[in-house]
Structure formats: structure tokens, C-alpha cells
């Protein structure tokens, strides 16, 4: 009896350690039996084909006061999850800055990223910023224009033609700030300036 009592006393000292070891091994077995719940599959297959399609659609963005600041519309669109892009046929863009400057753009095809930070206009790309204050109407034409809405910029690494009022410029590349109206032309730049009446 005395021996059993001593053995029980010694075991009670190690009892918390034994319970913790049992709980740890139980947790390890649980984690091992359901690993897909804890770690995302690195080899998850992403669909190459479109996961949804749109027809005659428009997507509008509003500021905190409820004023519409941007609208992207098109005849047809397909979303590709592999590239996280929306391919749009006959894309049209309307954008209005806080100061009221209006920009309209269109092209035969457009590719918009899921986060909305980039919209590429492809095929007869055309953008027009309406006259504002002392700034004349400004038209941009090219085969490809990249719109960066959050930065208020239109960029092209392809040849472009810019018509500002009656003045016409051509360049190999362009970086246009749609808010300030400033544009940076590079490459072979040519311009025709017309005397203002």
C-alpha cells in the first residue's frame, strides 16, 4: 500500500506533463489528417477559359459625395481568372476629375485588370478631353493607349497623334496627365502649330 501511494505521488508530479503530451500528439494528428484546411494548395488549378461573360454592360465608380467619377462600358466582355483581366469589345470610358475636367475614350478592344488600376485600349484607340477654362479641346489617337485611372494618366509606347485645338503633334511615345493637360512626347516628335485667331 505504501509503495502504491509513493508511485501515485510520483506520477501526480508528472501528470500535467503527460496530459500536455497527449494534447500535443492529438493536435498533431488532427493537423496531419486535414492539411488542406491550414495551407492553401500551391498547385491550385486556375481556369484558362472565361469564368463569366457580360453583354451591353457598364461599370460606374462614384466618389464619397455620390458623384459619378468614372464609367467603363462595352458591347461584350469576358473575364479570365488566369490573367485576372476583363477583355472588353468596343470599350468606352467616361472619366470626370474633381475639378470637372471630362475625358472620353474608346477603342475596338480593351483589357482591364481586376483591380481597375490599368485599362489598355487596343485598336483605333481614341481619347478626347473636352475644353476646360483656357485649355482647348485635346484629342489623342493611336493604336494602343494605356489608361491609369488612379494616376490620371494616359500612356502610349506606340506612335500617337495629338490634336490640341488646331495644332497637331505626332510622337513615338506619350505620357499624358489628363488632369493637368500636360503631355510628354518622346521619340520622333513633329508638330504643326496654327496661329490662333
Amino acid at each position: 500500500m505504501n509503495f502504491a501511494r509513493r508511485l501515485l505521488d510520483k506520477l501526480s508530479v508528472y501528470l500535467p506533463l503527460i496530459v500536455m503530451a497527449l494534447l500535443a500528439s492529438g493536435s498533431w494528428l488532427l493537423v496531419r489528417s486535414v492539411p488542406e484546411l491550414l495551407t492553401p494548395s500551391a498547385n491550385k488549378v486556375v481556369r484558362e477559359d472565361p469564368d463569366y461573360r457580360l453583354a451591353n454592360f457598364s461599370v460606374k465608380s462614384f466618389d464619397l459625395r455620390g458623384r459619378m467619377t468614372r464609367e467603363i462600358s462595352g458591347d461584350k466582355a469576358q473575364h479570365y481568372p488566369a490573367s485576372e483581366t476583363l477583355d472588353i469589345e468596343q470599350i468606352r470610358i467616361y472619366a470626370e476629375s474633381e475639378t470637372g475636367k471630362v475625358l472620353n475614350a474608346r477603342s475596338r478592344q480593351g483589357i482591364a485588370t481586376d483591380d481597375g488600376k490599368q485599362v489598355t485600349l487596343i485598336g483605333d484607340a481614341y481619347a478626347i478631353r473636352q475644353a476646360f477654362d483656357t485649355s482647348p479641346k485635346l484629342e489623342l489617337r493611336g493604336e494602343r493607349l494605356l489608361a491609369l485611372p488612379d494616376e490620371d494618366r494616359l500612356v502610349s509606347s506606340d506612335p500617337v497623334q495629338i490634336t490640341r485645338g488646331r495644332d497637331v503633334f505626332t510622337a513615338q511615345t506619350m505620357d499624358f496627365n489628363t488632369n493637368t493637360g500636360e503631355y510628354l512626347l518622346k521619340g520622333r516628335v513633329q508638330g504643326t502649330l496654327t496661329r490662333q485667331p
Side-chain angles (χ1 to χ4, degrees), residues 133-154:
D133 287 340
T134 59
S135 300
K137 181 170 85 167
L138 194 65
E139 299 178 37
L140 309 169
R141 291 182 185 275
E143 197 54 34
R144 177 187 291 261
L145 295 173
L146 173 64
L148 304 168
D150 292 345
E151 301 175 32
D152 293 322
R153 288 172 55 215
L154 277 173

Side-chain angles (χ1 to χ4, degrees), residues 106-175:
R106 62 174 167 73
S107 68
R108 287 196 305 262
Q109 183 187 3
I111 300 172
T113 57
D114 281 354
D115 58 8
K117 293 185 184 289
Q118 293 185 357
V119 181
T120 306
L121 305 170
I122 304 167
D124 284 335
Y126 174 75
I128 181 170
R129 192 184 81 164
Q130 302 298 334
F132 188 81
D133 287 340
T134 59
S135 300
K137 181 170 85 167
L138 194 65
E139 299 178 37
L140 309 169
R141 291 182 185 275
E143 197 54 34
R144 177 187 291 261
L145 295 173
L146 173 64
L148 304 168
D150 292 345
E151 301 175 32
D152 293 322
R153 288 172 55 215
L154 277 173
V155 179
S156 178
S157 55
D158 295 337
V160 293
Q161 176 181 314
I162 300 169
T163 305
R164 183 187 66 197
R166 297 191 303 171
D167 302 335
V168 179
F169 301 91
T170 58
Q172 297 300 110
T173 65
M174 176 202 66
D175 189 341

